[in-house]
Structure formats: C-alpha cells, structure tokens
Amino acid sequence: MNDQPFFRIDWVIDNLDEIGGRVGEHLVMTGIAIGVGLVISFGLALLIRRVRPLYGPTIAITGALYSIPSLALFALLIPITGLSLLTAEIALVSYTLLILVRNIVAALDGVPAEVLDAADGMGFGSVERLWRVELPIALPVIVAGVRIATVTTIGLVTVTSLIGLGGLGYLIVNTGINRFFATSIYTGVALSVALAVLADVGLESLQRRLTPWARARSG
Amino acid sequence: MTPQARPGGAVVTFEHVTKRYGPPGVPPAVDDLSLAIPAGEICVLVGPSGCGKTTTMRMINRLAEPTAGRITIDGQDVRDLSAVELRRGIGYVIQQVGLFPHLTVGENVAIVPRLLRWPEPRIRERVEELLELVGLEPGAYRARYPASLSGGERQRVGVARALAADPPVMLMDEPFGAVDPILRDRLQNELLRLQAKVGKTIVFVTHDVDEAIKMADRVAILRRGGVLAQFDTPEAILSAPASEFVEHFVGADRGLKRLSLAKVRDLQLIQPLIVRVGEPRVEVRRRMEVDGTGYALLVDAADRPLGWVDSAELAADGTLTEEEATPGAPPLQPETTLRDALSTLLGSSVQLGVVTDERDRVLGLLSVDAISEVLRPDATAPRS
Ligand SMILES: Nc1ncnc2c1ncn2[C@@H]1O[C@H](COP(=O)(O)OP(=O)(O)O)[C@@H](O)[C@H]1O
Ligand SMILES: [Mg+2]
C-alpha cells in the first residue's frame, strides 16, 4: 500500500465492467428489499387498520428485528438459508419493516375523517375507497417512508459483502479492505453514497409529481 | 313557504325507528321516531346538541342502521338496496364538506356520476351545469384543487357534488355551521334559490332555531334521547308550540322570531337616488337637491353598490370617484329574513339597507321603519 498513488484511475477504467456490475447488483438488492418490504408492510398495515390492538405488537416485533445487528442475523440465517441472496434479502427486508409499517399506518390514519365520511356517504365500496381515496391521499407520507427505507437499505446492502454479496460493498470489503487496495474502497464508498443521494432526490421529485394537489394554490 | 309537492323529490318516512348505540337500558339515541317528510320539501331537524339529529339523518342513507323500525323512500325500504347503491342515489353534504383534496373541483363534482359509470361527455356537461348552478364559473374553478378555495367556495362545491347525480333526496348535516354569519346568510339564500329550481326533498340538520325557521318548509324539533317534540310548519311552531320544551327551545323572543318567517322580498322597497362613478359632481348635486334626501347611493358600472354619498361632503366640481363612498351595512338579499335584516341594520350607522340580487345589483332600499311596521300588533301580515 506504500508506493501506491492515492487513487488509481487506471484501475477504475480497467474495471468498469466489474464496477458497473456491482452497481447493478446493489440496485437490484435494494429494489427487491424495498419491493418485498412494501408488500409485507402494506399487508400488515391493512391488518392493523382492521384489528387495532395488533399495532403495538407489530411495532415491537419489527422494532426488535430492526435492532438485531446484521452480523448476528446472518449467523442465525446461514445454517438455514446458506450464503445466499435469500439470506441477504431476509435481513434487508427485516430492516425495512419498522419504517414502512409505521409510515403506512400513519399515512392512512392521516386521511381526514370528514373525507372518509363523505366517501362513505357518496357510496364508495371499501375497496374503492381504499384505492381511490385513502391511498392517493396517503401517498406523500408513504413515499416519504419509502425514501427513508431506501436510503437506509442502500447503506445496509454493503454489509452483505460479509456473505460474499454486497454490491458496492464487495468493492469496499473484498477487493478493498481484504487486499489493502484503497482505490477500490474509495470507489465503493463514493458510488454507494451517490446512489443513496440519487435515490433520495429521485423519490422526492416522484413524491412531488404524484401530489400536485398538495402544493397547488390554484390551477 | 306553503308546502307543495314539487317534482324533484321523494317522500321519506320513518316508521317507529329506534337506534341504540349502547345495550338495552341505556337511553337510545333515537327513540320510536315516526315522521313523514313530503316530497320536495326542506325538513329541518333541530334540537339541542346530542339529541340524535345526525343519527336520524344518517339512518336514511344507512351510515347508521336502525335497531328497530323502518325507513322508506317513496315507499321503498332503504334496506331493499345495497348500502352502496342506496347512497349513490342520495345527496350528502356535511359541515366540514369533506372534498377530496387530491381531486380538482371538477373531479370532485364528478365523483358520483363516475361511480355510476356515466359516459364521460355526459359527466363533463353535468359538471359544467352544476358549477354554474352553484354560482362558480366553470372555467375559473373546474381545474382548481380544494386547497385553493375559500370556505364559501368549498361549501358550494360540496352542494354541487351532492346534486351531481340528480338524487331525489339530499341530506345536509349542519352545512353552514362553520362559516361566519354574513356568509351563512348568503349560502342559505343560495340554497333556497337553488331549491326553488330543483325541488329536492332535503333533510337539513341544525342546532340553530333561526336557521331552522328560515330554511324549513317543516321543522322537526327533537329532544334529548331522539324524541320528537313537534313536527310542523315554522309558522305553527312559533304560534302554537306543542309543549313547554318547544316553547323554551324556540326562545322567549318568539314575537321577534316571527320576523324570521318574512323575507326582505315581502316588503315594499324604497327606490334610492342612484349616482354613478364618473358622473359630474355638479350634476349629482343638482339631482340631490331635486330628490331632497341629502344623500345618494353610489354604484359601479355593473350596478353594484359602493356606498353612500352625502351632499354636505360633496366636492365642488370634478367627477365622482369610488373612494368617496361611505360604506353602509352589508347588502341584504331578497331571501334574507326580516329578523336578520333588522339585526344587520341596527348594527350599522346608516339604518337603511341596500337590497341586491344574486349578481349584486341594487334592487332597492329597506328601512328599519319598514320592518318595525311589520312588528306592530295591528299590522297586517306582509304579503308574500
Ligand atoms: N357512533 C356512535 N357510537 C356511540 N354513540 C353515538 C354514536 N353516534 C352518536 N352517538 C350518541 O348518540 C347520541 C346522539 O348523537 P347525534 O345523533 O350525533 O346528536 P346530534 O347530531 O343531535 O348532536 C349522543 O348521545 C351521541 O353520543
Ligand atoms: Mg350532529
């Protein structure tokens, strides 16, 4: 490590394919975690709306999952699911649940009571009311939760390099730290941060485009 | 105000309807209520807070289900249809309006027609027609979001939305309870004008006796526990309260309240001297001398009143400007009750009210004297 230049741009150019592949892997792993996390959280939120007393226990359980160190979670899972993508995703999804469930429940609770009363009074069925009234109005808060979960997950994906995956984490740990190669570490860290920032900005603009009514003062 | 069957409505009847929220033993919210509301009339449910008005109204569209008894619309039991189908055929307006914030004004009005799967061109036409009917210019309002509307505009959109599918029955729960008194008077007048055109059966809930007397063809006074205390015309309730409770609820000033039975349009209006912005002051002075009253009403190009001009304060020459008008009491409308007119006039320095039509044009003047004439015991009732 002594005689190496601070950053070897030639290594980056020579390994563009490998780096691009890791970015792709990182995005796919994040996407799967958020997608599966959303589906599960949504189901849980709908259940909680019907059976309110489930809210406390659900938050307690997802909160406990959130607080398990990832290393410990891998140690628990590897005997069952091995050094696989499945292991990684189980961990990543677990970490999204607390944020997403809490946000979806809060978002649906935030729909004004008089809007729901008007919807019922005009003859919306319960499914129509959910899709055409509650979800559109709850969307800004739900997307805000997805933003936080996404940024968190992009950071966490790097940890799965411990089981040989990790997207950009692979560049940081496997080719970086393990081989004392600083350029790979810098590249992995910089790209991972860039992804998080891009995802945050992108989701924020999506949120605004989905809800023109929230800021419109006139048409 | 004479009750008469009008074509747009349906008969709503309550037959021994009881609603309990708690177990038997706890007093019910509505107790053995029987009531027949004639088609095309405004029936106002009035009574102290918690007496079961809202519950009574919500049983009509099954937002609350009766514990016992039967409700029919034009003879058909409301339970014959599914709750969803039933509600699409009944207009529903609430105090907080409940406009959908994520939909534009036009889309809000189109909600029930869309649920009923009307063809799009028909929906577009209907939205246009309804916005005009409630006095909102479609071009200016259709594409706006509720967040950009004033309280009065929201209420109007709420009424348009409830009328969208042309339902024979409209339910209105304290629709004007959250607006200031002057706007409330305006919205009440608009609803009365609208009702003269559409002739719905309107079940209107309020806790305000004055609003009940003004709006109702028939008033149902409820007392705590959802017991019907009296069901009659406003005239009959004021002149012959059925019980001490009604007498007490209506208030000690029953005589004064009878002023609520007559409207501004029932009295002869005075024609004021009208002068316009831009008129030469010399000419104005000459006309005021001929007229002899010493003041004139200044109006703008669209005949809308700006205020009073006093001959003593009139400058020597030049032409009249908007700024020199002294504003008077807020304008009255033909549908304003004499009681409201009286309190408006007594609260202003000029005890002469300008009466305007729905486009704010001057119709004439009403004086406090003319109103007190009606109060004289030997006065003949104002002609309708
Ligand atoms: N959903 C409900 N659950 C339990 N009690 C209710 C419910 N709605 C109304 N009540 C009770 O029924 C009575 C009548 O209420 P309501 O019809 O809202 O009266 P009002 O509209 O005349 O103020 C009140 O005592 C109220 O507390
Ligand atoms: Mg009520």
Side-chain angles (χ1 to χ4, degrees), chain A residues 117 120 123 128 132 213 217, chain B residues 58 87-88 92 102 147-148:
Chain A
D117 187 35
D120 290 340
E128 272 166 324
R132 291 166 60 182
W213 46 275
R217 301 311 300 175
Chain B
R58 288 166 70 91
R87 291 172 193 161
R88 289 175 186 178
Y92 187 58
H102 62 300
S148 74

Side-chain angles (χ1 to χ4, degrees), chain B residues 365-382:
Chain B
L365 301 181
L366 185 69
S367 67
V368 171
D369 289 349
I371 299 173
S372 51
E373 195 73 9
V374 176
L375 279 176
R376 279 208 344 248
D378 57 332
T380 45

Side-chain angles (χ1 to χ4, degrees), chain A residues 102-121:
Chain A
R102 228 173 17 197
N103 261 275
I104 296 171
V105 171
L108 292 174
D109 284 351
V111 179
E114 67 268 19
V115 170
L116 299 180
D117 187 35
D120 290 340

Side-chain angles (χ1 to χ4, degrees), chain A residues 32-103:
Chain A
I32 293 173
I34 296 296
V36 175
L38 257 180
V39 170
I40 295 174
S41 305
F42 204 70
L44 288 172
L46 291 185
L47 195 65
I48 287 166
R49 266 167 26 111
R50 295 198 165 242
V51 193
R52 256 301 137 163
L54 289 178
Y55 185 64
T58 308
I59 292 303
I61 293 167
T62 54
L65 283 175
Y66 192 73
S67 65
I68 300 178
S70 41
L71 205 56
L73 198 51
F74 290 146
L76 287 173
L77 287 169
I78 288 169
I80 307 162
T81 48
L83 294 171
S84 65
L85 180 63
L86 184 60
T87 303
E89 289 295 352
I90 290 174
L92 293 174
V93 168
S94 309
Y95 293 132
T96 66
L97 296 181
L98 177 65
I99 298 168
L100 291 177
V101 170
R102 228 173 17 197
N103 261 275

Side-chain angles (χ1 to χ4, degrees), chain A residues 151-164:
Chain A
V151 171
T152 311
T153 304
I154 287 175
L156 280 172
V157 167
T158 55
V159 177
T160 62
S161 59
L162 293 171
I163 55 170

